[in-house]
Amino acid sequence: MGDGSGEGVAGGGGVAGGEGVAGGGGVAGGDGAVDRVGRTRAGSSGERLTDVGAMLRALRRRADLSQRELAALSGVPQSTVARIESGRGADPRFRTVQRLVRAAGGTVGLVAGGALTVGDALAAGAGEVASDDGWRDAAGRRYPAHLDARRVRTLRDWPGAWWADWYTLPPERWPLRVPEVTFDLNRRYRDERRLRERLLAGVRVRRVTDGVPETCWRLVAELPDGDLVGELRAHERSLDLRYGVDLGDRREVVLDGVLVAPQLQRLGIGRRLVGRLVEETRLVGPHAVCAIAESAGVQFLMACGFRIEGSRPMALRLEHR
């Protein structure tokens, strides 16, 4: 299945396709010290100062452009874009690289010695997407840069794992083979994921003490502007009082609940809140943190390090008549 970009892809985290090779280029510009980007004249150090292919892939990833879309915007043949990114053939001319970078929203120039410099547009997008240029598909081809390839760490990381939220199956009984790497073909999904990751990078977790008893915990996750995106509440209880025996003032913490804003769920904010609670309670004395949960809450707490106890409380209700 292809995306029309010259970089073949398969849906649902399948196999990504290759990159064509061909000639092409423009007229060299600059001060005459450099004929082509990455190649210097005799008398200089002879070092390749810039990985132009990696730079273009990063720019395309930031701008969410396929090779074909970048070629159409820049007027450079798609085959030339593929050749530059793959690093095959002669080094590209400066004018060609300049057209490509500008079309992707960046700026480029040459400094003394022929080094290629890229403007702030690339730096502004750095770190937005956790895609690894070193990943290859089964045929050894690089995944299309703009599709945000990412490692599949749990079943929920792969959109094709339709059974992840309803069934608990051992790996040998999974109905489909789960790939090591997946990606998003839908641009809206990519935009949403990138926004979520940018927001996550700015989240901080802190404990609120104003108006909260010393034996209670209220932890909040906030964005830099102060918006609340997550909250955890817990309280301490005495096992001596619970069981009616002297256990030497033995205490534990009861987790009352964890809430995370729907648009930022499954990004690890809940785990950060629980982790902070564990760290703080370890310092003040309680020997354990316990919780009662069901369904997805059980899976979440187990992912945070909780273990299911042998005894199970029963849910009881008294209706007023």
Side-chain angles (χ1 to χ4, degrees), residues 88-285:
R88 295 191 290 263
D91 293 319
R93 296 184 182 276
F94 172 77
R95 186 73 56 83
T96 301
V97 175
Q98 186 180 51
R99 291 162 63 185
L100 291 169
V101 171
R102 287 178 175 175
T107 59
V108 65
L110 288 175
V111 297
L116 187 68
T117 62
V118 180
D120 292 339
L122 178 57
E128 290 184 1
V129 184
S131 186
D132 191 333
D133 273 343
W135 291 337
R136 297 292 189 273
D137 65 11
R141 298 167 296 193
R142 181 181 287 112
Y143 290 90
H146 68 296
L147 296 186
D148 298 356
R150 60 190 182 278
R151 184 76 66 186
V152 176
R153 302 185 186 281
T154 69
L155 276 180
R156 291 184 177 84
D157 294 334
W158 183 45
W162 52 265
W163 66 94
D165 290 322
W166 291 279
Y167 303 98
T168 302
L169 298 175
E172 61 271 16
R173 297 190 62 186
W174 289 349
L176 298 173
R177 183 183 67 84
V178 179
E180 294 183 0
V181 176
T182 188
F183 44 79
D184 293 312
L185 289 172
N186 187 299
R187 176 163 294 181
R188 180 173 63 85
Y189 294 161
R190 295 198 298 271
D191 290 342
E192 291 176 354
R193 180 177 293 277
R194 293 179 183 191
L195 174 61
R196 283 155 53 94
E197 291 177 352
R198 285 198 299 271
L199 292 175
L200 179 63
V203 170
R204 70 185 185 103
V205 174
R206 66 181 181 90
R207 181 178 181 182
V208 177
T209 56
D210 291 345
V212 179
E214 291 185 2
T215 56
C216 295
W217 280 263
R218 182 189 176 210
L219 304 178
V220 297
E222 299 173 324
L223 295 176
D225 59 5
D227 284 352
L228 191 67
V229 295
E231 182 171 352
L232 176 150
R233 296 201 179 194
H235 69 275
E236 186 179 308
R237 71 181 177 187
S238 168
L239 294 181
D240 296 47
L241 294 176
R242 182 184 183 188
Y243 297 117
V245 295
D246 185 3
L247 298 175
D249 191 26
R250 191 171 177 82
R251 295 167 293 149
E252 65 182 8
V253 172
V254 179
L255 179 61
D256 298 317
V258 182
L259 293 176
V260 177
Q263 67 273 22
L264 291 178
Q265 291 179 358
R266 295 187 178 179
L267 288 179
I269 295 177
R271 292 192 188 189
R272 287 178 57 184
L273 288 166
V274 173
R276 178 69 175 271
L277 175 67
V278 172
E279 291 176 5
E280 295 207 0
T281 55
R282 183 181 288 120
L283 297 175
V284 297

Side-chain angles (χ1 to χ4, degrees), residues 5 22-27 56 60 66-85 92-104:
S5 67
V27 178
L56 283 180
R60 284 202 301 110
S66 67
Q67 286 186 353
R68 181 163 296 178
E69 289 168 334
L70 179 61
L73 289 173
S74 64
V76 175
Q78 184 271 329
S79 57
T80 301
V81 179
R83 176 178 57 80
I84 294 173
E85 290 195 1
R93 296 184 182 276
F94 172 77
R95 186 73 56 83
T96 301
V97 175
Q98 186 180 51
R99 291 162 63 185
L100 291 169
V101 171
R102 287 178 175 175

